[in-house]
Amino acid sequence: MPQTVSQATPLHTLVQGQGFPILCLHGHPGSGDSLSVFTQHLSQRFLTIAPDLRGYGRSRTQATFAMTDHLDDLEALLDRQQVSRCLLLGWSLGGILALELALRQPDRVSGLILVATAARPRSSHPAISWQDNAYTGVASLLNWLSPGWQWNIETFGQRSLYRYLIQQHTPTAYHYFAKEALPAYLQTSGHATRALYVALQQGYNRLADLSRIQCPCLVLAGADDRHITAASSLETAQHLPNAQWHCYPNTAHLFPWEIPDVVRRDIDQWLAHNPDVVTPLTKPWGLSATPDGNRRKL
């Protein structure tokens, strides 16, 4: 019988910048590194905390676990670093975990930025053929050797499974694939994949509970997302009492890598209109950063 983990696991965590803390949660597959499209920008004004979730990246585990164990790990991380209140940013699976944390500890969460995620996630992804896998393997290898190579994008990338992850096959998006997506994929454990699939097979649905989340929320979606549909993201936004929703045309699940400047601009505007989500109640708290604000590992 497989061993089951019930205690919190220390998470490998990347910290950058200083100021009000923003806990940034990656998707599946993913790692703290794969959130650089957000953290490198936000850390210019805030303290970004980007852990590798249990079973992902460098947060290794040899035991099976359940999705709820991610929440125990994240609460322990915030406790250990004495973070009393923070903004949550979650992409895909990370957005689901952000919703769960907000339901568990509402006083600790100042706001939510939910990226390509839903409280009742639905997919429209077509069946995967052996040709899809073959093109994806070749495209990934060539892109790792020469990131953003236009010939590879046109010859293999646009015929691979990447076509369901992005709509705009730009060199910028393919640089993210090479630098962050491929390493994250290779470092995602079978235990992490199993925990996610079990939760999805059980029919995850938290729509009925979203009325309890009173903090400001920003919900962002790609119009052509096949992994978590834009319709399911909109449904989530409609059930949140204080939510703003954006849907980007001609983009898919990895739209922050397709239109990074547009997404970051919209986040900045939302923060400007909701200053309380990044304002300490009394005085600054959280993780200390290096004097020059550079990234450090915990």
Side-chain angles (χ1 to χ4, degrees), residues 68-82:
T68 53
D69 292 320
H70 288 311
L71 303 177
D72 296 336
D73 296 342
L74 293 170
E75 289 179 346
L77 171 64
L78 294 177
D79 289 342
R80 188 164 59 251
Q81 302 304 328
Q82 299 181 348

Side-chain angles (χ1 to χ4, degrees), residues 11-116:
L11 302 178
H12 179 276
T13 307
L14 294 177
V15 179
Q16 191 174 3
Q18 53 190 343
F20 190 87
I22 303 178
L23 179 62
C24 303
L25 305 176
H26 64 77
H28 173 93
S31 69
D33 290 331
S34 61
L35 292 168
S36 71
V37 67
F38 300 111
T39 57
Q40 289 183 4
H41 174 72
L42 292 170
S43 64
Q44 297 175 29
R45 293 178 293 156
F46 307 107
L47 180 69
T48 59
I49 307 165
D52 295 349
L53 298 172
R54 186 190 303 201
Y56 297 87
R58 285 150 287 187
S59 295
R60 311 307 299 169
T61 181
Q62 300 300 318
T64 60
F65 62 90
M67 289 297 297
T68 53
D69 292 320
H70 288 311
L71 303 177
D72 296 336
D73 296 342
L74 293 170
E75 289 179 346
L77 171 64
L78 294 177
D79 289 342
R80 188 164 59 251
Q81 302 304 328
Q82 299 181 348
V83 174
S84 302
R85 185 170 176 264
C86 63
L87 172 65
L88 301 182
L89 183 153
W91 190 350
S92 193
L93 167 62
I96 293 174
L97 295 177
L99 286 169
E100 291 293 333
L101 276 175
L103 289 168
R104 268 200 188 193
Q105 297 194 5
D107 293 338
R108 199 171 205 173
V109 177
S110 63
L112 297 174
I113 300 175
L114 304 173
V115 180

Side-chain angles (χ1 to χ4, degrees), residues 96-97 99-100 103 118-121 199-206:
I96 293 174
L97 295 177
L99 286 169
E100 291 293 333
L103 289 168
R120 185 168 69 105
L200 292 177
Q201 289 171 358
Q202 292 173 346
Y204 180 81
N205 183 355
R206 291 288 254 167

Side-chain angles (χ1 to χ4, degrees), residues 213-226:
I213 299 178
Q214 297 294 319
C215 63
C217 303
L218 177 63
V219 184
L220 306 177
D224 300 305
D225 193 335
R226 307 297 293 269

Side-chain angles (χ1 to χ4, degrees), residues 10 17 20 29 32 38 47 62 78 91 134 136 175 177-178 181 185 203 214 230 234 250 255 259 261 263 275:
F20 190 87
F38 300 111
L47 180 69
Q62 300 300 318
L78 294 177
W91 190 350
T136 304
H175 275 273
F177 276 126
Y185 173 80
Q214 297 294 319
L234 174 58
N250 192 32
F255 65 85
I259 50 170
D261 292 338
V263 174

